Amino acid sequence: MMATTHALWGMMLALPVLAVAPEFAPVAFVAGLVGGAAPDLDLYTGHRKTLHYPVYATVATVPALAAALVAPSATTVALAVGLTAAALHAVSDVLGGGLELRPWEGTSERAVYSHYHDRWVRPRRWVRYDGAPEDLLLAISAGAPVIATADGFVGAVAFSLLAVSVGYSLLRKPLAGVAERLVGRLPASLLPYVPARYRGT
């Protein structure tokens, strides 16, 4: 899925906070955005493995949510929403395509790494590839309620993420060829630092 989809779903997790404890909503929206997007910071260092923890992150949300309910504060609410968003990101990556430059070809059987099971979980391909129409639909389904409910700044951030999502969805398939051409022009000394999927390995 697109990083923007994950970020928007993370932000949507803050909507119950806005309804129940609006004083914590600003920090909850930021935590959801950061938690939803943060796992993809491993894009160039073991993507969907280094910062993706589908089991451990999910387990960690239980005490975090309990702490936010028992002792609500900006810290506990941010931790609960951020961890839940990160866990949702890691788990939902299983629903997408594999780790390849053109996921629509279905050549990779690696969706996300489970550190608990010490193995890669295979992609379900319900969302065929990042930027697919179904991915954009997921982004819209999370972004629309945030835009409709949140204040001006948060709504503007969500709208911007949706706009990026639309643009990326339109360009996703051509971008694969552009990436290959750009990598083909890099000096050989830089190739070890380029993710394997861009090198065709």
Side-chain angles (χ1 to χ4, degrees), residues 6-14 28-39 57 61 78-92:
H6 292 304
L8 286 164
W9 276 87
M11 293 177 75
M12 193 175 75
L13 292 175
F29 279 116
V30 172
L33 171 65
V34 172
T61 63
L79 192 60
V81 174
L83 274 174
T84 303
L88 179 62
H89 179 143
V91 170
S92 64

Side-chain angles (χ1 to χ4, degrees), residues 45-63:
T45 55
H47 187 40
R48 295 194 192 166
K49 181 177 182 181
T50 306
L51 296 177
H52 287 61
Y53 294 89
V55 176
Y56 293 132
T58 301
V59 171
T61 63
V62 176

Side-chain angles (χ1 to χ4, degrees), residues 49-161:
K49 181 177 182 181
T50 306
L51 296 177
H52 287 61
Y53 294 89
V55 176
Y56 293 132
T58 301
V59 171
T61 63
V62 176
L65 289 168
L69 290 170
V70 172
S73 68
T75 301
T76 58
V77 168
L79 192 60
V81 174
L83 274 174
T84 303
L88 179 62
H89 179 143
V91 170
S92 64
D93 270 344
V94 174
L95 305 178
L99 280 175
E100 63 248 273
L101 185 58
R102 293 178 172 84
W104 50 89
E105 294 177 352
T107 59
S108 172
E109 288 302 311
R110 293 181 170 192
V112 68
Y113 191 82
S114 170
H115 296 267
Y116 175 78
H117 297 99
D118 194 26
R119 65 176 174 82
W120 285 93
V121 179
R122 69 175 183 81
R124 300 303 190 266
R125 297 189 173 90
W126 295 354
V127 175
R128 294 166 293 156
Y129 57 91
D130 55 308
E134 57 270 25
D135 190 3
L136 181 58
L137 182 61
L138 285 171
I140 293 169
S141 67
V146 173
I147 292 168
T149 310
D151 67 20
F153 178 74
V154 172
V157 170
F159 183 83
S160 298
L161 290 171

